[in-house]
Amino acid sequence: MVRGKCPSCLAELMASAPLTPLLKTENGIRPIAVGTIWRRLISKVAMKGVGKEMIEYLNDFQFRVGVWGGVEAILHTVNRVLNERHIDGSLAMLTIDFSNAFNQVDRSALLREVRMRCLSISLWVEFLYGQPARLYLRDGHIWSTTGVQQGDPLGPLLFALILHPLVHQIRNKCKLLLHAWYLDDGTVIGGSEEVARVLDIIKVMGQHWVLNLILRKLSYFGLLVMVASFVKGYFLRTSGGH
């Protein structure tokens, strides 16, 4: 199956899954699609086959794929920078989130990244995501045509792959003290002009993959009590963003 030997007529069946909507803390919905045992098993085998190579590609900035304790690592690093540079009023910290990111990324862009970065599993990923799949909810179903299914063992890797070109753009164009991601949650610390440049890059590149940006915090150093300015920005496919 990983080598593309499975009949294409089985693709919709293999890619379909029951849908479980979980309530988020902010009253949103997190749709979890857990596929068949065969799909999960094959995807885990596929992940095992490319895991080491992909960890090397991602782990400079991505702390979710193949990194144990990734959240703790980011948190401790942020705390260290805050303790060392808390009186530097020229620095800013930006935390980034994307709205419904897993479900909205462009699959054509996703498949291109997979072919480029992990060709050995590309036929399997195309088998799963190259056509619409049914997500069953009670007695009905909806069609899944965009994004990566949450519940897919390959899901974190696939999303990290689609995000990584943006991460590299930030790395190449911005000088930062800290630049770390946990899937779609990003944290950057640097000079205020550099952080503003990060935001501009995300606004431009995010539209290519239909990543809807939510700015959670923009916090400036140099205060005994950190003051956070909460801003929400949404990119619409038709308008190009606000």
Side-chain angles (χ1 to χ4, degrees):
M1 285 184 167
V2 173
R3 294 175 180 174
K5 302 291 187 178
C6 188
S8 58
C9 61
L10 297 179
E12 182 190 323
L13 176 64
M14 187 69 74
S16 297
L19 186 63
T20 302
L22 301 181
L23 186 64
K24 294 183 179 180
T25 54
E26 64 271 21
N27 295 323
I29 297 295
R30 186 185 305 280
I32 304 298
V34 179
T36 66
I37 185 64
W38 287 110
R39 172 184 176 163
R40 292 179 57 78
L41 178 61
I42 297 163
S43 290
K44 287 184 178 181
V45 171
M47 181 64 198
K48 186 73 173 179
V50 299
K52 184 177 180 180
E53 179 183 356
M54 289 298 97
I55 290 170
E56 291 178 357
Y57 172 62
L58 296 170
N59 73 356
D60 285 345
F61 304 101
Q62 180 58 252
F63 287 80
R64 169 60 178 86
V65 180
V67 180
W68 292 101
V71 170
E72 289 82 0
I74 296 173
L75 178 61
H76 288 309
T77 304
V78 169
N79 284 337
R80 177 176 56 80
V81 174
L82 287 173
N83 289 332
E84 293 176 355
R85 306 292 294 272
H86 66 278
I87 62 172
D88 189 341
S90 67
L91 297 180
M93 179 172 69
L94 175 69
T95 61
I96 306 146
D97 193 9
F98 292 102
S99 173
N100 202 23
F102 263 69
N103 300 308
Q104 292 192 0
V105 293
D106 185 330
R107 284 188 180 176
S108 60
L110 168 63
L111 294 176
R112 285 196 300 271
E113 286 297 316
V114 173
R115 294 187 200 105
M116 185 184 307
R117 301 298 174 185
C118 39
L119 184 62
S120 62
I121 67 169
S122 62
L123 293 177
W124 174 243
V125 175
E126 289 185 38
F127 182 77
L128 296 177
Y129 290 103
Q131 67 289 310
R134 297 174 191 261
L135 299 180
Y136 296 100
L137 183 62
R138 295 181 179 175
D139 296 330
H141 70 271
I142 60 175
W143 287 100
S144 173
T145 59
T146 62
V148 177
Q149 289 184 12
Q150 296 189 60
D152 181 356
L154 282 172
L157 170 61
L158 298 179
F159 183 82
L161 283 175
I162 195 71
L163 183 68
H164 222 56
L166 184 149
V167 174
H168 281 180
Q169 283 287 322
I170 294 173
R171 177 200 64 185
N172 295 337
K173 296 183 178 180
C174 305
K175 297 179 180 179
L176 301 167
L177 291 175
L178 175 66
H179 178 199
W181 293 80
Y182 192 86
L183 290 183
D184 63 328
D185 294 310
T187 304
V188 297
I189 299 177
S192 56
E193 291 185 0
E194 296 297 318
V195 170
R197 187 174 293 116
V198 170
L199 187 55
D200 290 338
I201 292 170
I202 293 174
K203 286 179 179 179
V204 172
M205 293 195 65
Q207 297 178 72
H208 294 301
W209 298 293
V210 199
L211 292 173
N212 298 322
L213 183 65
I214 299 179
L215 302 184
R216 296 294 188 188
K217 301 175 186 176
L218 178 57
S219 306
Y220 288 94
F221 286 46
L223 300 177
L224 293 177
V225 179
M226 300 295 288
V227 178
S229 173
F230 291 86
V231 182
K232 287 189 176 181
Y234 298 91
F235 287 116
L236 304 179
R237 297 188 188 185
T238 54
S239 67
H242 296 285

